[in-house]
């Protein structure tokens, strides 16, 4: 019975549940970003270039048997995903940014500290002369 209780405490802690929700939302968000890149951004960028080389798909591009089109497609997809994520994170940071906190001036030394500093200074004077 003890192991079931331990597992229940572990599985239903706030951190584990938050992580599970984050993973699920991250997967759904990943699908949105992938669709944006594959279905919107990449075709807008590539259709003019593909029609110029008489190719239907970027994966069809090859030279002497080397299918550089697939590599080019993966590279473009990566760059698009990175740019979209950059914009989203930048926007999210602007939304969550709070007013900069004012840095408080350091507190003045206490009377005890002032007295100790005076004693230290006086001892330095006596030892140097």
């Amino acid at each position: 019975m003890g192991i079931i209780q331990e597992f229940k405490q572990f599985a239903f802690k706030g951190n584990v549940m938050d992580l599970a929700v984050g993973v699920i939302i991250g997967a759904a968000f990943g699908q949105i970003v992938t669709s944006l890149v594959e279905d919107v951004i990449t075709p807008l960028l590539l259709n003019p270039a593909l029609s110029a080389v008489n190719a239907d798909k970027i994966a069809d591009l090859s030279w002497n048997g080397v299918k550089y089109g697939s590599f080019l497609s993966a590279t473009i997809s990566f760059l698009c995903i990175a740019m979209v994520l950059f914009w989203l994170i930048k926007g999210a940071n602007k939304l969550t940014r709070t007013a900069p906190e004012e840095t408080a001036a350091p507190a003045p030394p206490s009377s005890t500290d002032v007295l100790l500093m005076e004693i230290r200074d006086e001892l330095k004077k006596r030892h140097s002369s």
Side-chain angles (χ1 to χ4, degrees):
M1 195 68 176
I3 204 136
I4 293 173
Q5 284 292 65
E6 285 182 50
F7 177 74
K8 200 191 252 186
Q9 287 177 349
F10 167 77
F12 295 109
K13 275 186 181 176
N15 295 342
V16 174
M17 296 303 285
D18 291 344
L19 179 62
V21 170
V23 168
I24 292 167
I25 289 176
F29 181 73
Q31 290 176 342
I32 292 170
V33 171
T34 301
S35 175
L36 176 66
V37 169
E38 290 178 358
D39 301 331
V40 178
I41 295 173
T42 303
L44 288 174
L45 294 175
L46 291 181
N47 283 343
L50 289 174
S51 63
V53 294
N54 296 325
D56 292 333
K57 296 180 181 178
I58 193 169
D60 295 341
L61 297 176
S62 64
W63 178 73
N64 288 337
V66 176
K67 295 184 178 184
Y68 67 91
S70 296
F71 175 75
L72 188 60
S73 175
T75 303
I76 291 170
S77 292
F78 169 77
L79 292 174
C80 290
I81 289 171
M83 186 59 72
V84 167
L85 288 175
F86 171 75
W87 287 333
L88 289 172
I89 290 171
K90 188 172 181 172
N93 285 341
K94 280 186 180 180
L95 290 175
T96 59
R97 188 174 297 145
T98 58
E101 295 179 15
E102 295 181 18
T103 55
S110 68
S111 59
T112 305
D113 291 338
V114 171
L115 184 60
L116 288 171
M117 288 188 284
E118 289 174 3
I119 293 171
R120 178 198 63 202
D121 294 343
E122 188 63 36
L123 286 172
K124 281 183 182 179
K125 284 182 192 176
R126 288 186 183 182
H127 284 298
S128 63
S129 35

